[in-house]
Amino acid sequence: MKNKVLLLGGLCIDETLECTNLPKVGQDIMIHSKQTQLGGSCLNVATLLKRLNKEPLIYSAIGDKDYLDAFQLFTEESFDTTCLYREDGQTGSCTILVDETKERTFLTYRGIEGNFDEEHIPLELMEDVEWIYLSGIYLVYGLESQKIVPFLIRMIHQGKKIFFDLGSLVEQIEISLLKECVSLSSIIKGNDNEIKVLIDRLQLQHITNILDSTLRIIIRTMGKEGSITYLSENTLTVPSVDVSAIDTTGSGDAFVGAFIASMIDNLSIQECLEIATQYGSIATTHHGGRIPLNTKEA
């Protein structure tokens, strides 16, 4: 069994601010709480993979100012540091505004985490990789993002599979790059709005129009309404799990991590979806979207 998963998403600095209501233009409001930590979708996904006894390989450049903190976190939580490397420049950040309804608003700053240089991904490590996680947010870095495609093509020729998580910035991905990544993917996942954006940008009548011999699974998550998964032969629906949510940040990442881990374990697609839904729901009961590795939930 190939337990390693390569994650292409880039690390960033997450700053979560809780408030009663979002400010209007020119308004000054009070923040109830503030939390700053290393984050990014790939770290959230990696945490779930590790929790489920898989070996995540996070690829990311990180700025000088943040490198030591990142390396320390990786060491403390026993993450592989092989594909983490220091580079001149500023690490990107994501400011997350959470109002009393737990709805999230994101302010994203792109930094050097979007740089791609495959020399930092040792070929011998890839021998034990079956799945590559690709975050859509990683595809909004212009020419740096274009460098990813030849690498992905070579990996597919070596038998690797791509899980493409559309992400909230899917509307900003250059259209030819978006089409290429869709065509290379075995699984695509997005929330309801992200899937609608993909349908519109690719000018599809229905999302199932892009299912083919490579792209076998399209997952559409819909929050409290659960998820719909489109396969070439049928459609699967899974209800949500009722929990007392405090922060929905990273719930989709937890879903993805649990789904990939379950696929590696050769479970049925239905079982993968049920397990992913469970962990995605649990993630909403933790601030910042990461289920701590030392908790006993699920």
Side-chain angles (χ1 to χ4, degrees):
M1 181 186 299
K2 295 183 177 181
N3 270 350
K4 288 185 170 65
V5 179
L6 177 66
L7 298 111
L8 302 177
L11 296 170
C12 67
I13 307 302
D14 281 346
E15 182 179 57
T16 303
L17 307 175
E18 291 193 359
C19 56
T20 301
N21 296 296
L22 296 183
K24 297 177 182 179
V25 175
Q27 185 182 15
D28 187 2
I29 64 170
M30 296 298 294
I31 299 297
H32 304 320
S33 68
K34 174 181 176 180
Q35 184 179 29
T36 302
Q37 62 186 9
L38 187 68
S41 58
C42 62
L43 183 58
N44 295 336
V45 173
T47 301
L48 245 297
L49 287 166
K50 190 162 187 62
R51 183 182 179 88
L52 297 177
N53 300 313
K54 304 304 177 279
E55 300 177 53
L57 303 170
I58 300 176
Y59 169 88
S60 184
I62 194 161
D64 282 325
K65 179 175 175 290
D66 305 300
Y67 179 80
L68 291 179
D69 288 341
F71 190 87
Q72 181 178 351
L73 173 67
F74 273 43
T75 302
E76 289 175 353
E77 299 194 7
S78 300
F79 284 118
D80 192 309
T81 61
T82 305
C83 301
L84 179 70
Y85 65 100
R86 185 197 311 250
E87 193 156 297
D88 292 337
Q90 188 172 352
T91 308
S93 63
C94 183
T95 300
I96 307 161
L97 305 177
V98 184
D99 65 18
E100 62 181 0
T101 69
K102 307 307 177 187
E103 190 59 53
R104 301 161 297 157
T105 300
F106 298 90
L107 302 172
T108 301
Y109 168 75
R110 292 180 294 188
I112 51 86
E113 72 284 349
N115 294 358
F116 185 76
D117 181 355
E118 62 180 272
E119 289 187 3
H120 293 283
I121 305 175
L123 291 178
E124 58 270 19
L125 272 183
M126 295 302 297
E127 293 177 3
D128 292 325
V129 169
E130 179 180 3
W131 285 97
I132 298 174
Y133 164 80
L134 175 65
S135 169
I137 294 174
Y138 204 51
L139 300 176
V140 296
Y141 291 84
L143 293 177
E144 288 296 327
S145 296
Q146 297 286 350
K147 297 178 183 178
I148 298 172
V149 173
F151 171 76
L152 293 178
I153 292 173
R154 287 198 300 277
M155 292 301 101
I156 289 173
H157 288 161
Q158 295 177 21
K160 319 302 181 189
K161 300 173 185 175
I162 298 171
F163 189 115
F164 182 16
D165 189 3
L166 295 175
S168 58
L169 299 181
V170 60
E171 195 166 8
Q172 299 183 35
I173 301 172
E174 195 273 325
I175 188 62
S176 63
L177 178 60
L178 178 62
K179 289 179 178 179
E180 284 184 292
C181 290
V182 166
S183 69
L184 295 172
S185 301
S186 293
I187 301 175
I188 288 177
K189 178 261 176 191
N191 63 27
D192 191 44
N193 182 66
E194 292 160 3
I195 293 293
K196 289 177 181 176
V197 170
L198 185 64
I199 291 172
D200 181 63
R201 296 203 67 198
L202 298 185
Q203 299 180 337
L204 306 172
Q205 290 185 335
H206 193 273
I207 192 62
T208 54
N209 294 151
I210 55 174
L211 288 169
D212 57 24
S213 58
T214 299
L215 179 57
R216 301 181 297 109
I217 302 171
I218 301 173
I219 304 169
R220 185 179 203 151
T221 57
M222 300 180 296
K224 292 182 179 179
E225 296 179 23
S227 66
I228 300 175
T229 298
Y230 305 99
L231 311 173
S232 58
E233 65 277 8
N234 64 341
T235 300
L236 303 176
T237 59
V238 175
S240 63
V241 176
D242 189 23
V243 295
S244 298
I246 61 173
D247 183 1
T248 58
T249 305
S251 60
D253 301 328
F255 181 103
V256 171
F259 188 91
I260 295 175
S262 300
M263 289 290 285
I264 292 173
D265 289 338
N266 292 318
L267 300 182
S268 70
I269 296 174
Q270 182 72 35
E271 290 173 314
C272 292
L273 289 167
E274 290 171 355
I275 292 170
T277 300
Q278 181 181 16
Y279 278 102
S281 297
I282 291 172
T284 68
T285 65
H286 295 271
H287 286 287
R290 292 184 66 209
I291 303 175
L293 290 172
N294 59 356
T295 63
K296 296 182 179 180
E297 296 154 296

